[in-house]
Amino acid sequence: MLLSFNWLKEFVPYTGTAEELGNMLTMLGLELEEVLHPYAEIGGVVIGRVLTCEAHPDSDHLHVCTVDVGAADPLNIVCGAPNVAAGQLVPVAPVGSTLPGGLVMKKAKLRGVPSFGMICSERELGLTDDHSGILVLPETSRSGHRLMPGERFVEACELDQEVLDISITPNRADCLSVYGFARIVGAYLGLPVTRPAVHLQETGDDMSHAVPVDVQDGGFCPSYTGRIIKGAKVAPSPAWMRYRLHGVGIRPISNLVDVTNYILMELGQPLHAFDHNKLAGGRIIVRTAREGEELTTLDGQKRVLREGDGLICDAEKPVALAGVMGGLETEITDESESVFLECAVFRPRSIRVTARRLGLTSEASYRYERGVDPTGMAFALDRAATLMAELSGATVCRGVCACTPQPWKAPEVRFRRSRAEALLGVALTDEFCASTLECLGCTVDRSAKDEWKVRTPGWRYDLTREADLIEEVAIFKGVDNLGETLPSIPQNLAAFGAPEGRHAFMMRIKHWAAGLGLNEAVNYSFVGNKDLDFLGLPPEGRVNIMNPLTAEQDVLRTELAPGLFQNVRQNIAQGANGVRLFEVAEAFRLDASSETTVKEVRHLAMVLYGARHDDVWAHEDADMDYVDLKGLVEKLFAYLRLPLPSFSVEEHSYLAPAVRMTMPDGTIVGVIGRLKPALADAYLARKAVWYADVDMDYLHAASQNMRPVFQSLPVFPAVRRDITFIAPRTLHVETLLESVRGVKTSLLESVELLYIYEPEGSADRNVTCRLTFRRADRTLQDGEVDKEREKIASALVKNLGVKI
């Protein structure tokens, strides 16, 4: 948001500097990016009066002028503008001054006549694109100051020399106008805030029903109003308005259109001016679009609409994309003389969805997306109508055309000083809390001492909870004044047994992964279509970005793999011998049933590459493999107290081998495997890259139903026996382990895999397992353990055909 410092001071008597104001706003949560000086390049331009103007002796279009610039002697300047004449007040760039683009004025000789400066046009001053002639100045400024030769042009004409670039968070829609900033400054410093005076003069018969307004969906458009203005003459806006709009980054167009933009920046209320004579049937219908309906917007682009997009229509056709941009057919042109001035509020989400889908962001949609003050509509409409009448010579018809299906009602939020003190850790008084809320525009009912009822103003959409009010109290108290000691947070059992939140679950998983020695990766949600294509991922369901930051980030990721594989590549390029990474994040897919049309699924992805142990430890040299990755997955399920999934080989687009993980209820929860070597080469990997992907949303839901069970610790020692099975390589190790567990025995406590040895040239392999036996009531004897071991061995020889 570009905030003109001079414009702000027209509303509030602030006496500090622009830098001091920026620092204060930053402490109030509105961060200052920088202070701009839009007219710094023309700071040396002065006011001059043309004393004489004669034809150049050697040219048919040049003039030789003498110009008083407040110096002892007038300047001799050769000027080629057709409209230059004696007696005019003009901007003059004398020798040594600069113009936009770095042009430095020097003494020149034009066809034999010396020239000591330039009489400037608006384009040469960087104000507008008009270069039809020099800029002729009025005798007085807007405030009544008489312009005198020698005065600096930017000061005498009251141009906005300082503009603050303020970063506005999405929740602070109230600060998207100069008046909104004035409210904040006035509230914080205790200064009076003055709205601009409105001297509206209505004439003629009551025209409140001349343009019937039909709002078909009050949820989309709670209120729609408009005024009729007749007899307007389209012309350029006066200099003060053109330059003020230019200073805050808006291109001047014409007096009628400029007024709507001026009110937009001044009060934060978007307006739109229709050519009244082009509204077929003389009526306004506010409705949602039908699928495939078309509208040509003011930028000349034909927009194909979807069901749900908001439209402003006349009796025959759409005439504007509600809250985003007007239509080309009813725009204000040089021939327009009757105006229907629209002022409305729309549902923020609807405007946001339409603007994002079409890639069509305007100053109006930017504000509608965040929320517009419904209580300021009438004043903004009257203020705009007054300015239009003043600048175009029009008359404002009596009455307002309006339809308000859902009148605004102030939300009521509770506030407890004790709660504020508990959250902030500082002592507060009732008087301070009440005065802070009231200066923000809230109405405070203090009839109940412990719990106040606070009605929030229409311009503060962000004040919906008690915590929001407490935040405002903290800001006005001064965040830098809060104590350094953290407040105590008493613990109780009130929340014991409550379901674990999604965020808390994900943080628990992150701590678990970090505790196992994995490093967290945080990647952009944006990847490239070529990244997904490289991994063979299907194009169906991709969410493409209409206005990507870069060509390499033009789609939302459908899996976490592209980002993690790039992380592996970066680490290898930096000389890492081993990479152990994890990421907990969302993957995105199109879903028409979702409110946002996009389904988000949280995943845990892990990637292993290279050396199993760090170089600083004296371990044998070995690389991580499938066993390491599967062990991590099994530990995850054990950590969450969930049953282990079954593992089965499947075909996969970028993993080979790939192992699917299936829960006992049949749900597929993820996949683990090795990145195909041909693909791994692109990531600089010369060793195996092992990857696992697990559906965290399923695990979160499943873990909610798990309850811990307590049992006594074993008292008597365990007895362990190792056994090696000679089994065909085609026999899955999991099948072997399950067969061991399936043998009917009361002494076997657990079985775990120790080693696998595959002799070269043999079709068999040796699988060594460790069997743990225990009794709860006494110590086992070697004989009974050996008997159980032999029982298990015999059963596997018989059932699986293995050898011992």
Side-chain angles (χ1 to χ4, degrees), residues 7 140 193 198 298 375 378 388 442 479 555 638 645:
W7 202 348
T140 59
V193 180
V198 173
L298 286 172
T375 64
M388 283 188 176
C442 299
V479 177
V555 66

Side-chain angles (χ1 to χ4, degrees), residues 293 513 516 654 759:
E293 202 165 2
L516 288 179
Y654 57 86

Side-chain angles (χ1 to χ4, degrees), residues 675-740:
L675 179 64
K676 293 179 179 179
L679 302 179
D681 287 342
Y683 300 106
L684 306 181
R686 299 296 178 261
K687 299 178 181 179
V689 178
W690 297 97
Y691 178 77
D693 185 287
V694 186
D695 185 342
M696 282 290 97
D697 286 340
Y698 175 87
L699 296 189
H700 179 216
S703 65
Q704 297 301 301
N705 299 323
M706 303 305 296
R707 294 293 179 266
V709 176
F710 298 91
Q711 62 183 22
S712 300
L713 292 174
V715 176
F716 297 95
V719 178
R720 296 175 177 86
R721 293 287 188 269
D722 294 346
I723 184 171
T724 300
F725 301 97
I726 303 175
R729 297 195 183 193
T730 56
L731 179 64
H732 289 269
V733 174
E734 185 66 26
T735 302
L736 192 150
L737 296 177
E738 287 297 327
S739 297
V740 172

Side-chain angles (χ1 to χ4, degrees), residues 81-357:
N83 64 327
V84 64
Q88 294 173 334
L89 278 178
V90 293
V92 177
V95 174
S97 62
T98 61
L99 291 178
L103 176 63
V104 179
M105 297 305 303
K106 298 179 181 179
K107 177 183 176 182
K109 183 175 288 188
L110 301 178
R111 296 196 179 185
V113 177
S115 181
F116 298 89
M118 176 189 293
I119 303 175
C120 303
S121 68
E122 287 191 338
R123 187 171 75 169
E124 289 161 343
L125 294 173
L127 300 175
T128 68
D129 293 331
D130 183 12
H131 63 287
S132 59
I134 61 170
L135 173 60
V136 179
L137 301 174
E139 292 293 325
T140 59
S141 68
R142 184 190 179 197
S143 64
H145 167 72
R146 185 173 181 81
L147 304 186
M148 300 298 293
E151 291 183 307
R152 292 180 61 208
F153 169 73
V154 293
E155 294 177 352
C157 292
E158 301 170 359
L159 301 189
D160 297 321
Q161 300 181 59
E162 295 174 301
V163 175
L164 289 79
D165 186 359
I166 308 293
S167 179
I168 307 296
T169 53
N171 64 314
R172 292 306 302 270
D174 61 303
C175 293
L176 292 176
S177 66
V178 181
Y179 184 64
F181 275 105
R183 277 194 300 245
I184 294 297
V185 174
Y188 187 69
L189 299 179
L191 299 175
V193 180
T194 305
R195 287 204 299 189
V198 173
H199 304 290
L200 181 65
Q201 295 183 352
E202 297 177 303
T203 59
D205 298 330
D206 184 4
M207 303 290 285
S208 58
H209 300 289
V211 179
V213 179
D214 177 16
V215 178
Q216 298 184 355
D217 183 358
F220 168 70
C221 178
S223 182
Y224 188 100
T225 61
R227 277 190 176 276
I228 299 174
I229 301 166
K230 290 185 174 292
K233 181 179 181 181
V234 178
S237 297
W240 64 266
M241 179 173 284
R242 297 201 310 272
Y243 302 158
R244 172 149 284 176
L245 291 176
H246 175 270
V248 294
I250 294 181
R251 180 176 63 89
I253 299 174
S254 67
N255 50 2
L256 299 180
V257 177
D258 289 349
V259 165
T260 62
N261 288 328
Y262 189 85
I263 297 301
L264 175 81
M265 300 304 297
E266 181 181 66
L267 302 177
Q269 172 66 58
L271 304 168
H272 184 68
F274 293 99
D275 188 321
H276 182 209
N277 295 327
K278 296 178 182 178
L279 293 176
R283 61 185 298 108
I284 289 290
I285 302 172
V286 183
R287 62 173 175 84
T288 54
R290 294 181 287 272
E291 189 70 28
E293 202 165 2
E294 296 181 348
L295 169 68
T296 301
T297 49
L298 286 172
D299 56 2
Q301 299 295 316
K302 181 176 288 187
R303 310 288 178 177
V304 180
L305 307 179
R306 291 183 181 175
E307 186 175 353
D309 293 336
L311 285 179
I312 310 299
C313 307
D314 58 19
E316 299 176 357
K317 61 188 180 301
V319 294
L321 195 56
V324 180
M325 186 174 287
L328 188 62
E329 292 189 31
T330 55
E331 71 170 334
I332 297 296
T333 64
D334 292 343
E335 291 74 32
S336 300
E337 61 86 23
S338 182
V339 177
F340 180 75
L341 181 60
E342 169 196 276
C343 180
V345 292
F346 301 104
R347 181 170 55 203
R349 179 186 171 277
S350 300
I351 304 302
R352 181 168 57 252
V353 169
T354 299
R356 292 295 181 272
R357 182 179 59 78

Side-chain angles (χ1 to χ4, degrees), residues 321-458:
L321 195 56
V324 180
M325 186 174 287
L328 188 62
E329 292 189 31
T330 55
E331 71 170 334
I332 297 296
T333 64
D334 292 343
E335 291 74 32
S336 300
E337 61 86 23
S338 182
V339 177
F340 180 75
L341 181 60
E342 169 196 276
C343 180
V345 292
F346 301 104
R347 181 170 55 203
R349 179 186 171 277
S350 300
I351 304 302
R352 181 168 57 252
V353 169
T354 299
R356 292 295 181 272
R357 182 179 59 78
L358 295 175
L360 187 61
T361 299
S362 62
E363 290 287 351
S365 68
Y366 185 76
R367 286 159 176 78
Y368 275 128
E369 289 173 14
R370 289 154 177 79
V372 172
D373 176 18
T375 64
M377 290 175 58
F379 178 79
L381 184 62
D382 290 348
R383 167 83 167 143
T386 301
L387 283 175
M388 283 188 176
E390 176 186 331
L391 302 185
S392 68
T395 58
V396 181
C397 297
R398 190 178 305 278
V400 175
C401 305
C403 180
T404 306
Q406 289 189 7
W408 181 80
K409 182 179 179 181
E412 187 173 276
V413 183
R414 72 171 180 174
F415 178 84
R416 295 166 293 173
R417 181 173 60 84
S418 59
R419 179 60 176 163
E421 291 178 332
L423 285 179
L424 303 179
V426 297
L428 300 169
T429 64
D430 286 348
E431 288 69 25
F432 175 79
C433 295
S435 63
T436 298
L437 297 176
E438 288 170 351
C439 73
L440 291 174
C442 299
T443 302
V444 182
D445 180 0
R446 301 171 59 180
S447 57
K449 283 191 175 182
D450 298 331
E451 185 172 314
W452 300 350
K453 295 179 181 179
V454 179
R455 292 190 179 273
T456 59

